[in-house]
Amino acid sequence: MVVRHEITERLELPAATFGLLADSATTQGTLGANRLSLGTGADRATPHYHARSWEVFYVIDGSMEFLVDDRVSTVAPGDLVLVPPRMPHAFGAAPDATVDVLVVIAPGVERFGYFRHLQRIALSQARAESLAPEQDRYDVHFIDSLTWTTTRAPSSGRR
């Protein structure tokens, strides 16, 4: 399977672009892959976990802040972050930085639908609450994290 850059579906959200590379439907459930670009200091994923899949992040360019379990780290180009199933995590571009990251989830689950849903929310075509009943379908289970909330506080200008 070869996924050509020029035919990759791209979803534009405020301060973020998703490049949809491979989903479980095209890989027989083996994996899913996308490329995510975030604007300066942009939040992207609130605290959550995946019940069934590992998630792997490879930073291509820029830097990002990562919550993994209850620890926040800054990662830079060439760094790899591995998140096992059920591990709470969240991420966003580091303050004063953009980031370009390759994200792989294995085994694959339907994730393209999730990203399209996020775009509809960003375009005010759906409400944020509409994701709650879809958590099992997309294997994205939202949680609260005081560590992330205080790290990415409103005073930083990123919320």
Side-chain angles (χ1 to χ4, degrees):
M1 176 176 164
V2 175
V3 179
R4 301 281 181 199
H5 174 75
E6 60 271 9
I7 63 167
T8 299
E9 181 180 356
R10 301 174 68 75
L11 301 177
E12 300 290 335
L13 285 78
T17 301
F18 285 99
L20 306 183
L21 302 171
D23 207 7
S24 64
T26 57
T27 66
Q28 290 82 43
T30 304
L31 61 86
N34 68 83
R35 187 169 176 175
L36 174 62
S37 298
L38 296 176
T40 304
D43 276 336
R44 185 62 273 144
T46 59
H48 66 284
Y49 68 90
H50 307 291
R52 303 183 304 269
S53 299
W54 281 78
E55 198 163 24
V56 179
F57 300 83
Y58 178 76
V59 180
I60 298 166
D61 191 33
S63 62
M64 60 194 305
E65 289 184 334
F66 243 98
L67 169 75
V68 178
D69 198 12
D70 201 34
R71 182 172 169 229
V72 176
S73 300
T74 301
V75 293
D79 289 349
L80 184 73
V81 178
L82 302 160
V83 182
R86 300 205 172 275
M87 179 68 64
H89 60 287
F91 56 88
D96 304 320
T98 61
V99 70
D100 187 16
V101 60
L102 176 67
V103 184
V104 177
I105 190 163
V109 296
E110 181 185 345
R111 197 53 63 80
F112 285 6
Y114 174 75
F115 298 134
R116 291 177 186 122
H117 198 132
L118 289 177
Q119 184 183 47
R120 286 192 301 278
I121 291 169
L123 295 173
S124 299
Q125 298 170 349
R127 298 176 55 89
E129 299 80 27
S130 65
L131 271 178
E134 303 292 343
Q135 292 182 85
D136 286 332
R137 176 181 176 191
Y138 297 130
D139 192 24
V140 178
H141 304 274
F142 304 106
I143 59 170
D144 292 321
S145 168
L146 183 60
T147 301
W148 187 248
T149 302
T150 57
T151 300
R152 304 288 282 192
S155 62
S156 69
R158 291 174 291 180
R159 281 264 173 193

